Amino acid sequence: MSGTINLELDVAGTLDDIGWKGNLGLSDGHYENLVYGTILEQVTLAGEFDQNGLSIPSITATDGGNGKLDASVDLTMKDGGEAAYDVTATLRNFALSRVDELQFWADVDTKVTGNQESADIESTVTVQRGEVDLSLALPESVPTIEVANLPDEEEKEEARKAAEKDNGFSGNLDVTVDIPGRLFVRGKGLDSEWGGRLEISGTTDDPSIVGQLSALRGQLDIIGKTFVIKDSKITFAGGSPPDPMLDIKGVYTTADLEVTAGFQGPSSDPELVLTSVPSLPEDEILSQVLFGKSQGSLSAVEAVQLASAVNELSGGGSGLDVVGSVRRFIGADVLQVGGGENGPEVKVGKYLTEGVYVGTKAGSTPGSSGVEVEIEVTPNISVTSETTEIDSKAGVQYRLDY
């Protein structure tokens, strides 16, 4: 924290009855929270005080951008040294967090009343926009450090209660968080937008969160395919500590299948579930999604890719995925290496936008190398074009799933 403080103090009376009053001001103030990345710039305040308390009717600041803060503080000193305070704050489009894994801007109306022992905290928060990066919030692995002489659970609980007793302060929460949309959750193959409403009650030491977030749109990339997010939600049931239940579903449709991949269960230990309509075993579902054919028709290379996909879904991933590594390195959406009656063939493709696919294929026989383009006009109608060194052809495909 930094800034310029202006202080004026007048003291008068006798040694037995001293009285004082004064004015307090702050200009060009700056505050930065290193944990949350919260920044206050251009902080100014003006107030007055005496032996009965402190009044600061105006506190203003920005978040270094377009966000604005207006606040006021009233502090009253009572007999016996007890202090009662009343704090109000209004924030508009304010950057509350700027850390890499969590960034969000919100409108906030807050009122805090209390004393040294307790406070009532009432707040309404409307999230304007936010970004959650799961790749940073949920790292791939956490290093384990060996520690000796750890206290047992009973000792830790006694220490926690002793700390609460020493602190002696309890904040009572009455907070509503409204998220109309534009809360983007990305990383770990997920790219999605969420909205919802949360009610936070309990105390500052033991908060309770109740509510639900629903996916407005998004996609889930796993096993090299893109699943469209549908009917997904995250439910908070008031547990302590908060451990919301995940029900995130992505749908991928082939010519013969509708495949649903989803994360289900508590956020601390979610399970990846793969189902299809009509119902098929997991290996067969993956074979149809990855290659468009049954498991028994796979080439040797495709069988290796299938085994790698099963390993990925089962929580493995330590195996060697040569084809997948190459696909990610070149930035392609599709990379298939196979062989058949016409010899070995390699296909590489990418979706330029949603519904527009451009690919190339290279084979060892005449007419097996060329460029293909597919444009999805509607979910049922696609326009296709294929050009090889021998000829060119185009057509319209109509598909009906029933």
Side-chain angles (χ1 to χ4, degrees), residues 293 297-302 336-346 364:
K293 53 187 176 181
S297 304
L298 300 182
S299 67
V301 175
E302 289 171 337
Q336 293 182 8
V337 180
E341 298 178 356
N342 297 324
E345 183 179 79
V346 178
S364 58

Side-chain angles (χ1 to χ4, degrees), residues 1-4 24-31 39-47 56-73 87-92 94:
M1 189 170 188
S2 63
T4 302
L24 175 67
L26 174 67
S27 60
D28 196 24
H30 171 87
Y31 168 79
I39 296 175
L40 299 181
E41 292 280 10
Q42 302 174 21
V43 183
T44 62
L45 64 84
I56 305 178
S58 175
I59 304 174
T60 62
T62 73
D63 63 356
N66 296 323
K68 304 292 184 182
L69 177 147
D70 290 289
S72 64
V73 175
V87 180
T88 61
T90 300
L91 295 82
R92 292 293 177 262
F94 205 87

